[in-house]
């Protein structure tokens, strides 16, 4: 069985940075499952598809072609065109979270995520990695932090990328996404059984990485 480490948690908990670093340390592959939902969101925006128009969103999900390059920084191509620059925006995050509540969309995207389970191993980051997609994963982590801390981190990330940002607006958007992600019927964000629960509010990235590496060893 190809080993899998799942790292689930809400937006801005530091999952991306931590997962990428651990994948690099272990020499494993890395799945940023949020980027799949974000890419579908971008496809819907490009095709003027309203997320409420469920049938059309499902059709878009069935037809999109995604390519990932995780060698260094994650790069994503949608239907052959690089969309990396659009992935991180709050607009993309909002539409991703809106379409992620559609069970049929989640079902269509399931195999695309499972395909990442390749030797020598996989670090999978998302909301339902340990509870749905890789339910038999060897190691499961739930990484969280307070809303304020997560919003501040997201704000800093956006500013560093040269994207315009407003802190109080980010707090509201994060709260709305948390609510949608935890209250949805299909694959809600919950702590997986036997998961290591980590609150990173008062921890550095290095401390979080060390705690997870200790846990899996
Ligand atoms: O992790 P990220 O912020 O990139 O995810 C964007 C949105 O995609 C989340 O708010 C969530 O609604 C959705 N998502 C999901 N399941 C995953 C990963 C992301 O529903 N495994």
């Amino acid at each position: 069985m190809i080993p899998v480490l799942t790292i689930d948690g809400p937006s801005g908990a530091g999952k991306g940075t931590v997962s990428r670093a651990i994948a690099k340390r272990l020499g494993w592959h890395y799945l940023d499952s949020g980027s799949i939902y974000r890419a579908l969101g971008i496809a819907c925006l490009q095709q003027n598809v309203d997320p409420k128009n469920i049938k059309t969103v499902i059709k878009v999900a069935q037809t999109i072609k995604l390519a990932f390059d995780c060698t260094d920084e994650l790069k994503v191509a949608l239907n052959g065109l690089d969309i990396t620059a659009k992935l991180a925006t709050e607009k993309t995050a909002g539409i991703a979270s809106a379409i992620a509540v559609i069970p049929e969309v989640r079902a269509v995207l399931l195999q695309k995520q499972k395909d990442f389970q390749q030797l020598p191993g996989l670090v999978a980051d998302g909301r339902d990695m340990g509870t749905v997609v890789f339910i038999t994963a060897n190691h499961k982590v739930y990484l969280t932090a307070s809303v304020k801390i997560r919003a501040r981190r997201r704000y800093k990330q956006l500013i560093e990328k040269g994207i315009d940002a407003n802190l109080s607006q980010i707090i509201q958007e994060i709260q709305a996404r948390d609510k949608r992600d935890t209250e949805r019927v299909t694959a809600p964000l919950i702590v997986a059984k036997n998961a290591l629960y980590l609150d990173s509010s008062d921890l550095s990235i290095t401390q979080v990485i060390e705690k997870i590496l200790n846990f899996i060893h």
Side-chain angles (χ1 to χ4, degrees), residues 20-31:
R20 260 197 308 274
I22 293 179
K24 212 169 179 181
R25 286 269 280 271
L26 298 173
W28 288 7
H29 298 277
Y30 168 56
L31 164 63

Side-chain angles (χ1 to χ4, degrees), residues 8 11 15 32-35 37-38 93 96-98 100 106 113 125-129 154 177 181 184 187:
D8 288 308
S11 303
K15 295 181 309 260
D32 171 0
S33 60
S35 69
Y37 289 91
R38 284 172 184 258
S97 145
R106 303 197 72 86
Q113 297 169 78
D125 131 21
R127 304 291 186 291
D128 60 343
M129 298 294 97
R154 183 69 96 189
R177 282 214 296 280
D181 289 351
R184 70 179 173 224

Side-chain angles (χ1 to χ4, degrees), residues 8-15 126-127 142-145 150 174 178 181 189:
D8 288 308
S11 303
K15 295 181 309 260
R127 304 291 186 291
Y142 186 90
L143 185 61
T144 188
R150 290 189 280 128
I174 283 189
D178 281 1
D181 289 351
L189 172 63

Side-chain angles (χ1 to χ4, degrees), residues 33-62:
S33 60
S35 69
I36 296 183
Y37 289 91
R38 284 172 184 258
L40 176 59
I42 292 169
C44 289
L45 286 172
Q46 284 175 346
Q47 296 174 38
N48 274 323
V49 173
D50 186 326
K52 290 192 199 94
N53 189 345
I54 294 177
K55 274 194 184 149
T56 319
V57 177
I58 296 168
K59 243 183 227 152
V60 178
Q62 285 165 334

Side-chain angles (χ1 to χ4, degrees), residues 82-94:
D82 188 352
I83 54 155
T84 311
K86 293 191 180 124
L87 281 177
T89 69
E90 286 302 293
K91 190 176 179 187
T92 302

Side-chain angles (χ1 to χ4, degrees), residues 6 10 13 24 34 36 46 49 59 66 85 91 94 96 99 108 121 131 142-143 147 158-159 163 166 173 185 198 216:
T6 61
K24 212 169 179 181
I36 296 183
Q46 284 175 346
V49 173
K59 243 183 227 152
L66 296 176
K91 190 176 179 187
I99 54 178
V108 174
T131 51
Y142 186 90
L143 185 61
V147 171
L158 291 173
I159 295 294
I163 299 170
N166 173 301
E173 284 164 351
V185 179
L198 269 182
I216 66 175

